[in-house]
Amino acid sequence: MTPLSPRSARAARDVVVVGGGIVGLAVAWRAARRGLSVTVCERGGLPSYVAAAHVAAGMLAPVAEADAQERPLLRLGLDSAARWPAFAAELEEASGLSVGYRDCGTLVVARDRDEAEHVDREIRLREALGVPVARLLPSAARCVEPALAPTIRAAFHAPDDHAVDPRAVCEALLVACERVDVELRPGCEVRAVTGGGVTLASGEHVTAGRTVVAAGAWAARIAGLPGLCVRPVKGQVLRLAARAGEGPLLEHVVRWDGGYLVPRGDGRVVLGATMEDRGYDTNVTALGVYELLRDAGELVPGVLELDLECALAGLRPATPDNAPLLGEWEGVVLACGHHRNGVLLTPATADRIAALLAGEDPHIDPAFAPSRFTPVGAPR
Ligand code: GLY
């Protein structure tokens, strides 16, 4: 008897998710918990070492990163930040693994007069937006976070901006997905989306009722999605660690114009991140490392005493207005373009996209409709 080919052996799925990064896995987990059969196709490994979350520091900072021009994004960020504690607790229960959620707050600091004026404007902007921040004198900021340099000029505290360990979240999502029978397919590059599923680089067709594109910066490379306006923005980071026996350098996330330090709570710290338009290049450069250490060392001198574990670069999936693409577009469902906010926006994205897949109203703000760039029905 002729053996069944892989293609005919596989039953059609309710959903195929393209991309096994933090957003794709969270969408898959939430959709499977609603009873949908889900397959995740990931071009790299699982966990994915090419996904942005592998590099991301894990700031959950809608307030520290707020921009006056991006109010819908601020609302979505605040909504997602409010979902994080329950999302983390459910995920830890579902997987039995810690996700490193830390209720630590964020300090935004300035190193010179220009930056202090900028911090002043940032405080007034947040007050106008009605989000809680507390202005701190430099001496008070140093009481809160003694590792700060005596030379800092201004600071504010965003008490509700926290952090999580994105790698731990992805590990937990993989286990949680397996426990609700999500089919995980690492090493599975999607060449094209078609009506009714995806075609892999191997030529195999994965048949599914709905296709979710959560492929980060690689979404624009998939055939069948012409005009998808996602581009990679490179970010270099350093992973640093305190020596054994030494206490953690920082308790809070520390943010400044152009960078941040995110402590993990166990002595490890992530220092990020550059913003570079360099296509799909993920090389670490001497200049990137120099600038990160120069700025961080000026604000938190103890950083320069830490051990350097590694330097790496990832690709943020950016859109022209820095807001994500969420919802139906050209026969697929998009959950991509999260740019600097992928980790923060994971719970809000996963809950909305899972609701959409289950046939419910996902309550997605029109500001995130993919059709804002390519109106449905317009010639491409
Ligand atoms: N969310 C921080 C970054 O993208 O660098």
Side-chain angles (χ1 to χ4, degrees), residues 66-82:
D67 182 319
Q69 308 308 317
E70 300 170 355
R71 288 195 189 206
L73 187 55
L74 172 64
R75 279 197 299 274
L76 186 66
L78 291 172
D79 173 86
S80 205

Side-chain angles (χ1 to χ4, degrees), residues 59 65 260 273 316 340:
M59 277 196 298
E65 300 228 324
Y260 46 80
R316 305 175 183 88
R340 294 180 62 90

Side-chain angles (χ1 to χ4, degrees), residues 56-374:
M59 277 196 298
L60 306 175
V63 176
E65 300 228 324
D67 182 319
Q69 308 308 317
E70 300 170 355
R71 288 195 189 206
L73 187 55
L74 172 64
R75 279 197 299 274
L76 186 66
L78 291 172
D79 173 86
S80 205
R83 287 170 196 256
W84 254 108
F87 183 86
E90 279 172 49
L91 184 53
E92 290 189 342
E93 185 170 344
S95 64
L97 297 174
S98 165
V99 300
Y101 179 80
R102 294 188 68 237
D103 193 346
C104 56
T106 294
L107 286 165
V108 178
V109 297
R111 53 199 137 173
D112 57 29
R113 206 167 79 179
D114 283 353
E115 285 190 12
E117 284 170 7
H118 180 68
V119 159
D120 245 27
R121 287 193 298 277
E122 295 286 299
I123 293 171
R124 286 198 299 274
L125 164 68
R126 281 151 186 78
E127 286 167 351
L129 293 171
V131 292
V133 291
R135 184 191 299 271
L136 296 177
L137 290 172
S139 55
R142 294 191 67 225
C143 287
V144 173
E145 192 57 87
L148 288 171
T151 50
I152 65 161
R153 297 289 295 260
F156 72 80
H157 183 218
D160 299 330
D161 277 7
H162 303 311
V164 73
D165 181 343
R167 291 186 183 184
V169 174
C170 289
E171 296 277 4
L173 281 168
L174 285 172
V175 174
C177 278
E178 276 173 341
R179 290 186 176 171
V180 286
D181 294 328
V182 171
E183 183 191 27
L184 298 169
R185 299 192 61 182
C188 212
E189 186 172 352
V190 170
R191 180 186 295 153
V193 300
T194 58
V198 298
T199 303
L200 306 181
S202 64
E204 182 191 346
H205 188 72
V206 179
T207 307
R210 308 297 293 271
T211 300
V212 178
V213 177
W218 288 269
R221 288 190 156 182
I222 300 169
L225 300 171
L228 182 69
C229 42
V230 174
R231 70 176 206 287
V233 174
K234 175 176 167 181
Q236 301 189 47
V237 306
L238 305 181
R239 295 174 75 91
L240 307 158
R243 300 239 162 112
E246 286 176 10
L249 177 67
L250 294 168
E251 282 303 319
H252 302 76
V253 173
V254 177
R255 173 103 174 80
W256 61 91
D257 190 15
Y260 46 80
L261 284 159
V262 181
R264 289 276 183 257
D266 60 357
R268 289 177 303 144
V269 180
V270 180
L271 164 59
T274 63
M275 291 276 286
E276 304 168 65
D277 269 303
R278 294 194 183 277
Y280 288 86
D281 164 36
T282 52
N283 287 348
V284 172
T285 64
L287 180 63
V289 172
Y290 164 72
E291 287 181 351
L292 289 171
L293 286 172
R294 178 197 62 200
D295 293 356
E298 201 177 326
L299 288 159
V300 182
V303 160
L304 303 178
E305 309 286 330
L306 298 174
D307 286 343
L308 175 58
E309 287 190 338
C310 66
L312 63 174
L315 299 175
R316 305 175 183 88
T319 61
D321 62 3
N322 296 330
L325 301 164
L326 303 178
E328 314 252 10
W329 188 74
E330 305 286 329
V332 299
V333 175
L334 299 185
C336 55
H338 291 77
H339 194 216
R340 294 180 62 90
N341 299 300
V343 179
L344 167 65
L345 296 180
T346 290
T349 300
D351 289 344
R352 282 166 172 78
I353 299 298
L356 189 157
L357 295 170
E360 296 166 16
D361 181 350
H363 298 290
I364 297 172
D365 189 318
F368 308 123
S371 58
R372 70 189 187 275
F373 298 122
T374 310

